[in-house]
Each structure stands twice: as structure tokens, then as C-alpha cells.
Amino acid sequence: RHKCGNQKSCPQDYFAFKIISGAANVVGPSMCFEDLILMSNVKNNIGRGLNIALVNGTNGELLKTDAFDMYSG
């Protein structure tokens, strides 16, 4: 098994991630980083529009998550 359910392992000094887009109002998006779910319906931290996770590119630390509703402005 590879991190985040990916088909291959990442090379050394690379981070594993997987981003899954939502499907209308039926299935919400999810983000996995280094085998840790950052955003999902279960964590209740996603929203309509753009869902963003800010991660430190050096050590992989999650800094912030947020959603920006592009529909309502």
C-alpha cells in the first residue's frame, strides 16, 4: 500500500498527495497529504467552491485550510 492510496510510491524527498474533486452536492472533495486526510466531508472542513490547504513545502506541516465560495462572490 502506498501513501494516500496512490498507485506508486513517491521518490525520496517528495511528498505524496491525492486530491479528489467533488461531484455536485452528492460527494464532497477530499485532500490527502503524506497519508493524512487534510480536508473531507468527515472532517467537516470543506465548502462550496475552491477548497485550499496550505502546507509548508519544506517539512510538510499543515498551516491552514479554507474554502472560498466562488458562486456567491
Side-chain angles (χ1 to χ4, degrees):
R1 182 187 174 300
H2 305 290
K3 291 180 181 177
C4 293
N6 289 325
Q7 292 180 351
K8 298 179 183 177
S9 290
C10 292
Q12 191 171 352
D13 297 329
Y14 284 77
F15 292 119
F17 71 93
K18 188 173 196 174
I19 299 172
I20 301 172
S21 178
N25 292 335
V26 181
V27 178
S30 67
M31 291 186 200
C32 176
F33 184 81
E34 284 295 294
D35 235 10
L36 176 68
I37 300 298
L38 302 181
M39 300 182 81
S40 70
N41 276 334
V42 174
K43 293 184 79 82
N44 198 29
N45 64 348
I46 58 170
R48 177 173 71 176
L50 299 175
N51 290 275
I52 297 175
L54 180 62
V55 177
N56 181 314
T58 303
N59 62 18
E61 175 189 5
L62 176 64
L63 302 174
K64 184 177 181 178
T65 61
D66 210 340
F68 298 92
D69 187 345
M70 303 300 287
Y71 181 76
S72 70

